[in-house]
Amino acid sequence: MCREGCPGRFRWSGPIESVSVQELSVTTTLASPAELADHVASDGWAIARRQLEPHEIFSARTLIAAHFQAGHGVQIEGARVQPAAAHFLPGLAWLYAHRRVIELARAALGTRDVIFTGHSDAHHGFTQGWHKDSGSSALGDPETGYFGESPTTLFLQPPEVVKVGIYLQESTDLNCLRVDPGSHVRPGLQPLRPTRVLMDAGDLVVFDVRITHAGAVVPDPHSADLDALRQRMSAFVTFGRDTPRTRAFARANMIRQKGQVGLSQDATMAADRGHAALLASYGVGTWEDC
């Protein structure tokens, strides 16, 4: 497995690092968040190592496990998922407004002026195969996606909305995130350069929502690996630049989330359990405030 000193790792002098798309034998130092933003713009993703404390990892795992054991959330393929988890998972709002999560999103987008898009998930188990989180095949229209744009414009824009993945156990070749570097600037879901992202508990990964990625390799239904995959636990939250395109993404993405939790499109989410106030304390607004 690939940990510290792994070939192909780009490292920033701060806590954030990005991984290259090739098997390199040297480590290249990234001098600043601006360089990290450049790598997100070119490769579509980056990693921040050891961002959560052990007690935070334990707390998050305990709360997520208890939530699903109580029968909450929805079943999506091989995973139990809680959409809008900052609203519906009691006690976990702090994770989706964690200072290091916010700072990673700001570094990836190259600006401090970011907003919360409304998306926050908790996952227990393995998820779907190769896909994009831009909604390019959602809402019954494969051309527009959540941004409401055709591929002609969608994939020509610089990164505007990024998702932060919060990983709560050590990953393996089987259950790790997989990305297709550079796929955030082209349509299509067939990966050209699939790359494994091996992480430890407490690591964060940030990626452009347009990148093609997969949550895990889903084995044969009778595989002995299924039990290990079912223990995969993670959380996700999405931020964007404070722009009309981000707000368009947020509105369309929330249509999906409301549908997943059984709410009508006119309904409001449940109390956010202090999430908005936590975001505001770091100078982050929400799409609903804009």
Side-chain angles (χ1 to χ4, degrees):
M1 294 176 62
C2 182
R3 291 289 182 261
E4 291 303 319
C6 172
R9 175 126 342 119
F10 290 97
R11 183 175 302 158
W12 177 40
S13 56
I16 300 170
E17 61 187 56
S18 170
V19 180
S20 78
V21 302
Q22 299 176 342
E23 293 297 325
L24 303 179
S25 59
V26 296
T27 299
T28 303
T29 299
L30 296 180
S32 68
E35 253 186 301
L36 177 127
D38 287 343
H39 274 285
V40 172
S42 62
D43 286 359
W45 67 293
I47 293 178
R49 299 286 183 187
R50 299 178 297 278
Q51 298 297 291
L52 299 185
E53 301 295 333
H55 73 275
E56 293 176 319
I57 299 167
F58 177 80
S59 176
R61 285 187 60 88
T62 300
L63 289 167
I64 292 172
H67 184 76
F68 291 134
Q69 286 170 3
H72 301 300
V74 296
Q75 190 74 28
I76 300 178
E77 297 188 10
R80 196 74 182 172
V81 179
Q82 179 58 69
H87 295 74
F88 289 101
L89 211 161
L92 203 61
W94 60 269
L95 184 64
Y96 300 103
H98 198 290
R99 177 180 61 82
R100 291 183 173 177
V101 169
I102 293 169
E103 291 306 316
L104 179 59
R106 283 171 162 163
L109 291 168
T111 179
R112 297 193 64 78
D113 191 13
V114 301
I115 58 174
F116 170 56
T117 68
H119 166 265
S120 57
D121 281 349
H123 291 235
H124 195 182
F126 55 94
T127 54
Q128 60 187 320
W130 293 101
H131 64 285
K132 294 179 183 287
D133 290 336
S134 57
S136 295
S137 60
L139 306 180
D141 187 344
E143 294 299 313
T144 61
Y146 300 138
F147 288 96
E149 299 177 6
S150 71
T152 304
T153 58
L154 176 60
F155 295 100
L156 294 178
Q157 303 292 337
E160 198 150 348
V161 179
V162 294
K163 181 172 287 189
V164 178
I166 305 164
Y167 286 82
L168 300 171
Q169 77 286 308
E170 182 179 12
S171 62
T172 68
D173 286 342
L174 176 69
N175 69 12
C176 67
L177 172 70
R178 284 164 166 78
V179 299
D180 183 23
S183 58
H184 62 304
V185 294
R186 60 173 171 80
L189 300 181
Q190 182 62 39
L192 300 181
R193 297 179 292 171
T195 301
R196 295 191 304 272
V197 185
L198 294 172
M199 290 178 286
D200 292 317
D203 290 350
L204 307 178
V205 61
V206 60
F207 54 92
D208 188 315
V209 294
R210 299 170 300 176
I211 198 171
T212 301
H213 62 287
V217 171
V218 181
D220 181 271
H222 305 292
S223 171
D225 295 323
L226 282 175
D227 286 341
L229 278 172
R230 291 190 181 103
Q231 299 310 309
R232 184 180 188 269
M233 193 174 291
S234 55
F236 297 88
V237 59
T238 305
F239 298 92
R241 291 173 174 269
D242 188 0
T243 66
R245 293 184 75 242
T246 292
R247 290 188 284 278
F249 169 91
R251 285 190 294 270
N253 187 261
M254 289 303 288
I255 291 174
R256 173 185 63 83
Q257 289 190 88
K258 286 182 178 181
Q260 285 178 321
V261 298
L263 292 176
S264 70
Q265 299 312 312
D266 295 329
T268 57
M269 287 291 187
D272 73 0
R273 311 194 185 273
H275 184 240
L278 288 170
L279 290 174
S281 71
Y282 293 118
V284 178
T286 72
W287 67 282
E288 297 165 301
D289 300 327
C290 302

